Amino acid sequence: MNTVSVYIHIPFCKKKCNYCDFVSFADKEELIDGYVEALKHEITSIPQQLKIKTIFFGGGTPSLLAPKQLEKILSHFESRITYPEISIECNPGTVNLQKLKDFHKLGINRLSIGAQSFNDRELKTLGRIHTAKEIHETVENARKAGFKNVGLDLIFALPNQTLESWKETVRKAVELEPEHLSTYNLQIEEGTPFWKMTNDKPCLTAGRFQMSNNNFQLPDEETEACMYEFAIDYLKAKGYKHYEISNFSKPGYECKHNIVYWKNGDYIGIGVNAASHINNSRHENPNNFEEYFLMANQQSKGLAGKLASRPARDEISETIMMNLRLLDGLSKKEFKERFGKDIEELYKKEIDELEKDNLIENTKTHLKLSRKGLFLANLIFEKFVD
Amino acid sequence: MLKWSVDNIRNFSIIAHIDHGKSTLADRLLEFTGTIEKRQMREQILDTMDLERERGITIKAQAIRMEYQGYILNLIDTPGHVDFSYEVSRSLAACEGALLLVDASQGIEAQTLANAYLAINSNLKIIPIINKIDLPNAEPEKVLTEIKNVFGIEKSEVILASAKEGVGIKEILEAIIERIPPPKGSAKDPLKALIFDSHYDIYRGVVAYLRIMSGTLNSGSKILMMGNQNEYEVLETGILRLGLIPKKELFAGEVGYLISGVRNVRECRVGDTVTEARNPAAEPLPGYKPIKPMVFCGFYPVNTGDFEHLKDALEKLQLNDAALTFETESSAALGFGFRCGFLGLLHLEIVQERLEREYGIDLVATAPSVIYKIIKKGGGELLIDNPSSFPNPSIIEVIEEPFLKLSVFTPSEYVGKIMELTIDKRGIFKGVEYFDPTRVMATFEMPLSEMISEYHDLLKSVSRGYASMDYEFIGYVPSDLVKLDILLNSEPVDALAVIVHREKAYYRGKMLVEKLKEEIPRHQFEIPIQASIGSKAIARETKPALRKNVLQKCYGGDITRKRKLLEKQKEGKKRMKRIGSVDVPQEAFMAVLKLGK
């Protein structure tokens, strides 16, 4: 039987963070009940023959929802979920012990905590609504509530962050013994408050900006590389497996849901702006409530009607790009099974060049990033797009 | 229909500094005489190329015949840039008079002066006009005094006008008829016709624009081009309205066109004399000289596959541009391309822009160079138009470079800064002349090579846009020049080499490597960038290796967007030229030229 992963987008936040470019709204909590109803409509439309492999509540801030609201959503899957991985993203500023206990009772078995930093000044710069102490409490409460799979998200290359303060954040995160860690470098995305601050005054030198009359400087490329390098080496020494460019886990605790993305497998996204990928086709839901509600209420026609087929070439490029993100790399066998051709037949010249430049390792069974390639992955991905 | 008589013909040009309103005045004259109806009118009607309209300059000369109160008025438009001064002189030679147009707020400028002298030397009757008197900052009184001081023309002779508002147009037309003499020359003498322009028509071949100086040009007769001694049959003659209007005969004094099956503008040179093959004139008209390109650069396609396409495009442009030359050259760094010759920097830029815009070719242009004359030890001479063919210094006795006489016209307050700038560009100060207490003309001699490295932009910037200039080639002068090599990743890049004065080599080398460091993106390896003379390194910078370039976050909703981002990055790299293993952006090649000060 075919399996599918389900992503559920919760586009509500107490407050928008300065770096966030996800579709989410800070002043629309009154819409949540209606939104839950719309999600239920969408869930109904998921073809019955598909078995649900994983569920991921992302945001926004899904932990902002009351356990009752989450229950309404999950119960709508009825008997279609048999012990899958069910994750929820969680902002430490939105949960207490009782809430986490309730989450656990609903069958949610993986917490992805948005810690971002263990330095209160940095948390403030990012516009987070919590302190480092609250991260500690949240992890403690999660354990008390029975969670055996807890992940922490961290961000590096923050304004005014030094290599030393990043090391401190990583060490403190590891002290909490999470099963999973994600480390991302800060990207200043268009439309975010950070983007405004860094781009509004072009007279300032690169990476320099002002916020509430304080001066900030983004770390340079060299520092950023050292930060990433530190995370890789330190986490490995502490028993974490580096399994994706930005992800580390204790053995067996890799995020199954995300691996579906990285294998460019099948998933259905429900909710505002959520993306789906099924049978080599992609679809994205509307990014505003008005259109979304309209669409969700017409779900009777099912997913099939809204999927756009795409050139096979794009599907191949994306599959390679995503699989190479995994440290195990791209399985040549899986590639051939999926596309009917050897990858080396399609990209001989590119692969030879990358190998010569020490950017990839080409083994009998796999194609994977080298250590150098991890830092320069875009140069590699670039070769496989048109 | 008016009765034809040579006494009823007036041939004239409009001469002006750039932007003083020449094209607008032409538009108004055409409108006022009913040559063009209002509804057909668009701005700068004589500037037919898009580039001409955009840049507000005339590149090709044009001519048009107007009829007004029983007179035939032939307007011969002239190109408005110093690169094309030879064309200006030929257009003027086809006239008996010239409207000298001066902007009421700007006053006399360098090209006003240069063009006016050309006209005076050709014995043209000058009709001075002060244009743009409607502008709030117009100072007609001041300009009247200036014209009196500079040209000795009485204030009463000057017409005040605003071409934009249509003021003074009638007075101008009357002055053309009254003051400009009719053409001389008898229709019975042997034929002498001056070619002042030509254009290539894909259906009919070359259309030559000419002025009959004496004799009669008959449709169907055999003619001789006196410059190249080629004979042709006259297929069609006629006069120039908004289009070509056939007319069987053109008589002495008339302006018109000639189609004779010539397939290439090169065989129909501006300045050449057309005569009758059976009864040729004894002497050609004076002043013909073959056009020689002064500035050279290499054009290379970014995609090597575009070579044939580029060749084809150059050939097409050349059909209509007698001054453009090109020949195949190969560069170790850039592959196959063309060494092209131009009249000047503007001409170069126009050709480059047309290749990119009209033919869609991504180009790398190497830094412009002039022709250096190298006198070898023990005799013999080499002409070098490409720094990469600079010989081993041990065989060189003397190097000579082309020099210009440069005239800069400026408000007197900027003279100090202009002298500083020009002397820094190896100019030799020759003198300064006051036209009135506030306006001066400074003259210099200076190397052409310095002129083509953004002298004009710098002149404008030190004088806040007020100074104007004009120059003419005066000859070759010995200079202490060296070849400056640029090495990327320890490999010399022939396309980046420049010939510079020895005293400036260190500074240029240092600026160059700094600029290249800025322009060249980080690669996955470190790139040393060096400047050297011979084997001696004089400047060095290092572009650090790319340390980190990775999309750190990529989940289900990001995939297509991220792929497109990568595609865009890849596209950007394709627009760069790969030299060895280094991707060099097109801008880097131009950076060699634009180093500021």
Side-chain angles (χ1 to χ4, degrees), chain B residues 16 127 133 392:
Chain B
I127 300 174
I133 54 164
N392 190 315

Side-chain angles (χ1 to χ4, degrees), chain A residues 184-185 221-222 224 228 246-247 258 261-262 267 282 314 318 321 325 357 359 372 375-379 381-383 385-386, chain B residues 522-524 545-563 566-567 569-571 573-574 578:
Chain A
Y184 309 111
N185 68 317
E221 191 180 309
E222 181 61 33
E224 206 180 304
Y228 183 41
S246 303
N247 286 277
N258 288 338
Y261 297 144
W262 295 319
Y267 51 89
R282 290 197 188 282
D314 289 352
E318 290 170 9
M321 178 181 110
R325 297 189 66 87
D357 288 340
L359 290 169
K372 182 180 166 195
F375 289 79
L376 303 173
N378 286 357
L379 302 186
F381 300 156
E382 221 177 77
K383 299 273 186 192
V385 302
D386 292 315
Chain B
R522 286 188 185 215
H523 285 56
Q524 38 160 320
L546 182 64
R547 274 287 272 141
K548 185 168 174 291
N549 181 10
V550 46
L551 298 168
Q552 209 106 25
K553 207 171 186 176
C554 193
Y555 294 94
D558 305 326
I559 299 173
T560 300
R561 201 164 53 91
K562 296 277 157 81
R563 171 174 56 78
L566 290 164
E567 280 171 9
Q569 271 180 36
K570 189 170 183 170
E571 197 51 43
K573 276 192 193 166
K574 276 194 199 147
R578 174 157 281 204

Side-chain angles (χ1 to χ4, degrees), chain A residues 103-116:
Chain A
F103 283 178
H104 194 252
K105 263 188 223 139
L106 293 172
I108 296 172
N109 47 27
R110 185 173 178 277
L111 272 191
S112 174
I113 299 172
Q116 322 308 6

Side-chain angles (χ1 to χ4, degrees), chain A residues 142-290:
Chain A
R143 298 300 187 200
K144 281 184 199 156
F147 282 97
K148 305 243 165 5
N149 189 352
V150 173
L152 293 176
D153 286 358
L154 303 173
I155 309 181
F156 64 92
L158 306 179
N160 284 1
Q161 188 178 43
T162 60
L163 179 58
E164 209 36 60
S165 75
W166 166 245
K167 287 181 178 177
E168 202 51 34
T169 283
V170 178
R171 286 188 202 111
K172 285 189 171 152
V174 169
E175 277 169 23
L176 292 173
E177 298 183 327
E179 280 72 32
H180 193 276
L181 276 157
S182 303
T183 63
Y184 309 111
N185 68 317
L186 177 70
Q187 300 264 15
I188 310 270
E189 303 284 359
E190 211 170 331
T192 61
F194 272 157
W195 176 272
K196 275 212 165 98
M197 291 173 213
T198 48
N199 286 276
D200 275 2
K201 291 200 180 138
C203 55
L204 295 171
T205 47
R208 197 175 276 279
F209 67 96
Q210 281 195 333
M211 184 166 64
S212 351
N213 289 326
N214 292 311
N215 290 314
F216 288 94
Q217 171 73 55
L218 291 166
D220 59 18
E221 191 180 309
E222 181 61 33
T223 311
E224 206 180 304
C226 289
M227 289 176 170
Y228 183 41
E229 198 158 36
F230 174 77
I232 294 172
D233 294 337
Y234 184 77
L235 294 176
K236 192 180 169 198
K238 292 291 177 182
Y240 290 88
K241 185 179 155 204
H242 187 189
Y243 74 99
E244 193 263 357
I245 286 178
S246 303
N247 286 277
F248 304 83
S249 78
K250 290 276 169 66
Y253 285 90
E254 297 88 352
C255 177
K256 293 189 185 73
H257 182 86
N258 288 338
I259 285 178
V260 172
Y261 297 144
W262 295 319
K263 293 244 170 204
N264 204 21
D266 287 350
Y267 51 89
I268 292 172
I270 64 174
V272 166
N273 200 47
S276 304
H277 177 247
I278 289 195
N279 302 330
N280 298 340
S281 299
R282 290 197 188 282
H283 168 79
E284 204 168 279
N285 279 350
N287 63 4
N288 62 74
F289 286 113
E290 222 174 16

Side-chain angles (χ1 to χ4, degrees), chain B residues 367-384:
Chain B
S369 170
V370 301
I371 297 186
Y372 296 97
K373 210 180 261 182
I374 291 172
I375 294 144
K376 292 196 277 188
K377 279 183 182 152
E381 206 180 88
L382 284 174
L383 294 177
I384 301 288

Side-chain angles (χ1 to χ4, degrees), chain B residues 32 82 87 157 161 189 227 294 326 333 379 388 425 432 460 495 516:
Chain B
F32 201 88
V82 59
E87 280 79 353
E157 287 183 48
D189 287 342
M294 301 285 278
F326 65 90
S388 69
K425 292 277 177 190
V432 56
K460 286 284 175 194
L516 286 168

Side-chain angles (χ1 to χ4, degrees), chain A residues 334-350:
Chain A
E334 283 174 24
F335 185 90
K336 183 157 191 185
E337 280 166 8
R338 185 159 172 179
F339 298 110
K341 277 195 177 132
D342 281 319
I343 185 165
E344 273 155 318
E345 193 182 318
L346 292 173
Y347 291 102
K348 172 101 179 73
K349 193 177 130 250
E350 286 81 0

